[in-house]
Structure formats: structure tokens, C-alpha cells
Amino acid sequence: MQEVDQYVDFLKDKNDQSDWSKSISENQLSLIEKGKKDIEEGRTYTQKEAKQKIADYIKRKHNNRNCVIRNFA
């Protein structure tokens, strides 16, 4: 019977969390609106462009970290 009670509690919790949009902060809502405006105004990247930007960013961060480590040693 305890397992059934636990499962019912699980289902209640799952149901309470089904609409995540009601629990976002004002800041998160503001960022969503900013993103929508960016899309409307054409400030977007293709998947290929985004992947390249991320790869470049990681490479720069990696290179900067190595410089700091070498200078520290």
C-alpha cells in the first residue's frame, strides 16, 4: 500500500509541474521576449553558423586558459 501512496504522490507532483511557464521569473520572461524580438528583426544564425560560433568560442577559451596557465607557471 505504501508503494501505491508513493506513486499517487509522484503523479500529483508531476501534474503540478506540468505547466512550467507559470513558474518562470520576470527576468526569464524578459529574455524570452528579447529572443522573440531578435527573431522578428532577423538577428538569427543558421545551425551551421551557430555550431561554428560555439566551436570558435571554445577554442578561444581553451587558448586563453593555456596562456594564463603558462604565465602562472
Side-chain angles (χ1 to χ4, degrees):
M1 190 62 160
Q2 183 180 4
E3 289 178 26
V4 172
D5 287 339
Q6 288 174 343
Y7 188 67
V8 168
D9 289 341
F10 164 77
L11 291 175
K12 284 181 184 176
D13 288 342
K14 184 176 179 182
N15 187 39
D16 290 342
Q17 298 172 5
S18 62
D19 190 359
W20 58 267
S21 68
K22 293 182 180 182
S23 64
I24 61 174
S25 70
E26 287 296 319
N27 185 52
Q28 291 168 319
L29 189 57
S30 173
L31 292 170
I32 291 169
E33 292 302 321
K34 181 182 179 301
K36 287 169 56 176
K37 185 175 180 184
D38 285 341
I39 291 168
E40 289 169 2
E41 296 180 5
R43 292 188 296 265
T44 60
Y45 298 104
T46 65
Q47 181 181 8
K48 185 177 179 178
E49 291 169 328
K51 287 172 77 174
Q52 187 61 53
K53 283 187 156 297
I54 292 168
D56 293 345
Y57 174 81
I58 291 170
K59 184 185 269 187
R60 278 195 320 273
K61 285 295 187 182
H62 179 73
N63 289 339
N64 289 341
R65 192 185 85 201
N66 285 341
C67 289
V68 170
I69 291 171
R70 282 191 217 118
N71 290 335
F72 184 74

